[in-house]
């Protein structure tokens, strides 16, 4: 296989892009290769395989059917109040539970109606809801005829999603006390709101020191660099290797110890990690807990746990450090619903952020009282979780804040589905999908990764330089480092095989690593990607031998 036609200087310039922008470059290169160059008789026969983005190619159909079945009931409820051509009224609360039961009995063949009924029964039984109140919340929210009230999250929806987090993020054993939730437009909106409100409330200031547990999802790297923040970023690197020379993607104690510095105000982590896709180990969780207990008690943790459902027995660090942790969760990956934009921020009612706001200098308190003064006669008593809501709508539009009600209904149905037997079976299936794809990728690439029971396998990050040294020795690794740019393999893949991967260096991982999404292609495509990786790896080895 020939070298890439791009010069080293061109590759260097492209390498400065964000990995997600670089991905678009690789897509264009792959498409151009497929179309063929001017004067070229034959086009490439290779199918473009884009494993650069983690949008899953599965969807949870059952909860969606239940959502649409609910829609039919909700429309019937609207027409019951006010009947005219294409004109209905607001659904009524009294008797809605009985009318729902009658609807279920009279529509036995309606797709999703039985699952919807199971979800309602589960919610009433587990959470002790009054049937009319809960059914009316679902119905009126499905119609979407009101602003969200409460704006932070609907009353029944919050309890259900809290139950879902209890089961999936806390292993069924939540920390004592209460988590308050803010429903957001996906995890990305949650990230924006968290950084913005921490700044607005004086908890973080421009230029403050924060830590990132890397490799990490690129926006966590790029947001702190914006001129709004200009944070002093301390990387906490997953730099451990096995005795056989395979990268573990685990954190040595001395790296975690960086968090003990009281100047470090906040640490961001994705757990399980993105791209290595490993849940935090207990040793590290215990070390962080000890640091907070003894040396840095006001350390704030932002943990993004979107991939937690892919690890058996997953337990968020928010369970161990509830007072210090902002938990961000998105439904997007588990349920194949990135387009729905369903996320949540969770914060324990007893938390250090509210304490820190209460201890601000009087001048800062006066500033914040003025900022939130139109919302309450006691603005200093507004909790941080509610300030997040207000800040998300520039405070002045707080009265129309909140995630749209149909979105909250979908979130509720996904959560209730998870608590049913059908949801547990679904979870086993999606876990099996990504693990099978990982096995096929590694079979094709003939590469080794560390055995790890906490592997989510939604992505995998492969350290090509470490693999080069493990297989052929240090001289080969030095040859690669000396002769080529770290993203050269990705240019070769795109140009010669129409495979698109992301560069691990863009996630603050090793420069010679690549990220493969295991979520968005057919199973056997990963075997092909593995074969292409192996072929390029062997080409490098052949060049090295020829140069010796």
């Amino acid at each position: 296989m020939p070298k890439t036609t791009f010069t080293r200087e061109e590759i260097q310039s492209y390498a400065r892009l964000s990995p997600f922008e670089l991905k678009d470059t690789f897509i264009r290169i792959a498409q151009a290769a497929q179309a063929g160059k001017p004067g070229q008789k034959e086009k490439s026969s290779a199918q473009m395989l884009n494993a650069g983005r983690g949008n899953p190619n599965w969807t949870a159909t059952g909860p969606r059917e239940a959502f649409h079945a609910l829609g039919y009931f909700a429309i019937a409820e609207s027409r019951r109040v006010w009947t005219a051509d294409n004109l209905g009224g607001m659904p009524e609360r009294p008797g809605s539970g009985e009318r729902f039961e009658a609807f279920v009995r009279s529509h036995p063949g309606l797709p999703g109606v039985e699952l919807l009924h199971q979800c309602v029964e589960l919610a009433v039984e587990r959470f002790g809801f009054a049937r009319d109140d809960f059914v009316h919340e679902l119905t009126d929210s499905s119609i979407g005829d009101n602003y969200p009230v409460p704006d932070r999250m609907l009353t029944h929806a919050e309890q259900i999603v809290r139950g879902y987090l209890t089961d999936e993020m806390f292993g069924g054993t939540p920390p004592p006390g209460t988590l308050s939730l803010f429903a957001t437009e996906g995890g990305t909106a949650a990230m924006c709101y968290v950084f913005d409100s921490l700044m607005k409330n004086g908890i973080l200031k421009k230029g403050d020191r924060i830590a990132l547990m890397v490799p990490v999802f690129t926006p966590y790297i790029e947001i702190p660099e914006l001129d709004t923040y200009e944070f002093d970023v301390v990387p906490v690197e997953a730099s451990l290797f096995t005795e056989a020379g395979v990268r573990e993607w685990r954190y040595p104690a001395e790296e975690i110890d960086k968090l003990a510095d009281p100047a470090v105000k906040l640490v961001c982590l994705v757990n399980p990690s993105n791209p290595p896709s490993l849940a935090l180990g207990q040793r590290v969780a215990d070390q962080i807990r000890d640091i907070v207990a003894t040396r840095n008690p006001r350390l704030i943790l932002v943990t993004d746990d979107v991939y937690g459902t892919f690890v058996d027995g997953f337990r968020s660090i928010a369970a161990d450090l509830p007072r210090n942790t902002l938990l961000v969760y998105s439904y997007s990956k588990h349920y194949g619903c990135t387009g729905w934009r369903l996320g949540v921020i969770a914060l324990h009612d007893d938390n250090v952020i509210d304490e820190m706001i209460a201890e601000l200098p009087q001048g800062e308190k006066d500033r914040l009282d003025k900022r939130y003064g139109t919302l309450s006669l006691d603005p200093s008593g507004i909790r941080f979780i509610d300030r997040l809501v207000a800040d998300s709508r520039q405070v002045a539009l707080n009265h129309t804040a909140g995630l749209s009600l149909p979105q909250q209904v979908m979130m509720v149905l996904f959560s209730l589905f998870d608590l049913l037997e059908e949801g547990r079976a679904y979870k086993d299936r999606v876990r099996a999908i990504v693990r099978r794809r990982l096995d096929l990728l590694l079979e094709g690439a003939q590469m080794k990764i560390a055995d790890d029971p906490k592997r989510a396998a939604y992505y995998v990050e492969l350290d090509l330089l470490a693999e080069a040294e493990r297989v052929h020795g240090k001289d080969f690794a030095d040859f690669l480092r000396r002769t080529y740019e770290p993203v050269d393999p990705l240019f070769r893949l795109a140009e010669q095989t129409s495979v698109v991967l992301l560069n691990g260096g863009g996630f603050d991982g090793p420069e010679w690593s690549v990220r493969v999404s295991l979520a968005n292609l057919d199973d056997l495509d990963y075997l092909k990607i593995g074969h292409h990786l192996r072929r390029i790896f062997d080409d490098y080895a052949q060049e090295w031998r020829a140069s010796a």
Side-chain angles (χ1 to χ4, degrees):
M1 185 180 291
K3 299 179 182 181
T4 175
T5 60
F6 287 83
T7 67
R8 190 165 187 176
E9 290 73 21
E10 288 173 324
I11 291 174
Q12 286 173 339
S13 66
Y14 277 119
R16 291 195 291 268
L17 295 173
S18 158
F20 294 101
E21 300 304 321
L22 187 54
K23 167 184 62 68
D24 293 339
T25 299
F26 293 143
I27 290 172
R28 289 193 295 272
I29 292 170
Q31 289 171 336
Q34 286 183 309
K37 297 176 184 176
Q40 196 175 40
K41 292 183 179 179
E42 294 184 4
K43 300 178 182 179
S44 169
S45 60
Q47 171 194 4
M48 186 171 75
L49 299 176
N50 179 3
R53 190 169 187 182
N55 198 103
N57 63 352
W58 60 78
T59 64
T61 55
R64 287 172 166 89
E65 283 186 333
F67 178 84
H68 291 297
L70 173 64
Y72 281 110
F73 172 68
I75 291 169
E77 285 288 278
S78 179
R79 285 176 172 158
R80 176 182 170 274
V81 174
W82 195 346
T83 303
D85 288 345
N86 297 311
L87 180 67
M90 290 184 170
E92 293 179 334
R93 185 188 311 270
S96 59
E98 287 186 10
R99 293 193 298 275
F100 174 72
E101 293 297 325
F103 176 84
V104 170
R105 290 193 300 271
S106 61
H107 294 79
L110 181 64
V113 74
E114 182 54 39
L115 181 59
L116 175 63
H117 188 238
Q118 289 180 54
C119 288
V120 170
E121 291 303 305
L122 171 63
V124 169
E125 180 181 347
R126 174 164 172 169
F127 301 102
F129 295 156
R131 191 177 298 270
D132 278 5
D133 292 344
F134 178 52
V135 170
H136 180 262
E137 181 177 285
L138 287 178
T139 306
D140 192 61
S141 300
S142 174
I143 290 291
D145 60 347
N146 277 300
Y147 290 110
V149 179
D151 51 12
R152 181 163 51 77
M153 196 167 190
L154 295 175
T155 303
H156 298 88
E158 182 176 19
Q159 293 181 64
I160 290 166
V161 172
R162 188 185 295 126
Y164 172 78
L165 296 178
T166 292
D167 284 18
E168 292 295 349
M169 301 292 105
F170 301 140
T173 309
T178 304
L179 283 177
S180 288
L181 309 182
F182 172 25
T184 63
E185 302 88 345
T188 50
M191 289 167 56
C192 296
Y193 296 158
V194 164
F195 278 109
D196 182 60
S197 283
L198 288 172
M199 290 286 285
K200 290 289 195 305
N201 283 275
I203 302 303
L204 291 179
K205 294 182 175 61
K206 191 171 183 175
D208 272 352
R209 184 171 298 169
I210 71 166
L212 297 178
M213 297 183 70
V214 298
V216 71
F217 184 43
T218 307
Y220 285 103
I221 301 168
E222 296 175 348
I223 289 173
E225 295 176 349
L226 295 174
D227 58 6
T228 305
Y229 308 106
E230 294 181 353
F231 292 139
D232 175 17
V233 177
V234 176
V236 178
E237 298 180 7
S239 55
L240 287 177
F241 283 81
T242 67
E243 290 183 5
V246 176
R247 187 177 286 275
E248 288 186 304
W249 305 108
R250 291 294 182 188
Y251 302 92
E254 59 269 21
E255 286 292 310
I256 298 298
D257 206 50
K258 293 176 179 178
L259 304 179
D261 178 2
V264 175
K265 304 288 186 66
L266 174 142
V267 57
C268 296
L269 64 150
V270 178
N271 184 26
S273 52
N274 174 6
S277 210
L278 299 175
L280 208 62
Q282 193 58 51
R283 173 188 60 79
V284 171
D286 289 344
Q287 186 179 355
I288 296 174
R289 186 176 56 196
D290 290 345
I291 285 170
V292 170
T294 58
R295 292 185 283 170
N296 197 356
R298 290 295 176 87
L299 178 68
I300 298 168
L301 294 89
V302 176
T303 182
D304 185 339
D305 293 357
V306 58
Y307 307 103
T309 52
F310 291 87
V311 175
D312 190 36
F314 176 76
R315 187 167 170 82
S316 172
I317 197 166
D320 296 323
L321 290 168
R323 297 190 71 249
N324 295 69
T325 306
L326 282 156
L327 168 62
V328 173
Y329 178 75
S330 167
Y331 288 73
S332 59
K333 305 303 169 58
H334 184 72
Y335 290 105
C337 64
T338 53
W340 266 99
R341 316 309 295 143
L342 305 178
V344 66
I345 301 170
L347 179 62
H348 200 279
D349 286 356
D350 175 20
N351 65 82
V352 297
I353 300 176
D354 284 330
E355 284 184 5
M356 293 164 74
I357 291 173
E359 296 170 5
L360 288 170
Q362 191 58 50
E364 278 288 274
K365 289 181 180 179
D366 292 343
R367 177 183 68 82
L368 292 174
D369 283 353
K370 182 178 180 181
R371 177 177 179 81
Y372 300 109
T374 58
L375 307 182
S376 170
L377 296 178
D378 179 24
S380 63
I382 299 175
R383 301 180 305 160
F384 181 72
I385 190 76
D386 294 306
R387 296 177 186 221
L388 280 165
V389 181
D391 293 336
S392 75
R393 296 298 182 268
Q394 294 293 302
V395 181
L397 290 166
N398 183 71
H399 62 291
T400 58
L403 185 66
S404 83
L405 300 188
Q407 286 174 283
Q408 292 197 44
V409 169
M410 193 71 257
M411 194 183 296
V412 162
L413 292 175
F414 281 140
S415 298
L416 291 172
F417 174 70
D418 180 80
L419 305 178
L420 294 168
E421 185 177 339
E422 293 96 323
R424 292 189 288 272
Y426 169 85
K427 180 168 62 178
D428 290 341
R429 281 193 288 272
V430 296
R431 286 178 176 178
I433 287 170
V434 292
R435 280 163 174 71
R436 182 167 62 249
R437 292 171 179 177
L438 175 61
D439 289 343
L440 288 166
L441 175 73
L442 295 175
E443 179 185 339
Q446 301 172 38
M447 291 183 179
K448 298 283 187 183
I449 62 172
D451 240 354
D452 200 310
K454 290 184 177 289
R455 185 177 296 280
Y458 195 91
Y459 304 103
V460 67
E461 187 166 7
L462 300 173
D463 187 337
L464 301 184
L465 206 62
E467 181 71 2
E469 185 165 342
R470 186 187 71 83
V471 175
H472 294 298
K474 188 174 182 300
D475 287 348
F476 178 43
D478 289 343
F479 165 80
L480 288 177
R481 193 185 290 111
R482 183 175 62 250
T483 312
Y484 294 106
E485 292 301 307
V487 294
D488 187 87
L490 300 182
F491 277 86
R492 293 195 186 199
L493 281 170
E495 191 174 9
Q496 299 165 11
T497 71
S498 296
V499 166
V500 176
L501 305 181
L502 294 190
N503 55 314
F507 297 82
D508 263 13
E511 290 294 327
W512 276 85
S513 64
V514 297
R515 185 188 85 153
V516 187
S517 164
L518 299 165
N520 66 313
L521 298 173
D522 292 337
D523 292 5
L524 289 178
D525 290 337
Y526 291 96
L527 184 64
K528 296 174 188 175
I529 291 172
H531 283 310
H532 291 315
L533 263 175
R534 170 47 56 182
R535 185 177 173 189
I536 283 176
F537 193 78
D538 289 344
D539 284 345
Y540 283 126
Q542 187 175 343
E543 291 173 29
W544 165 62
R545 292 188 189 99
S547 69

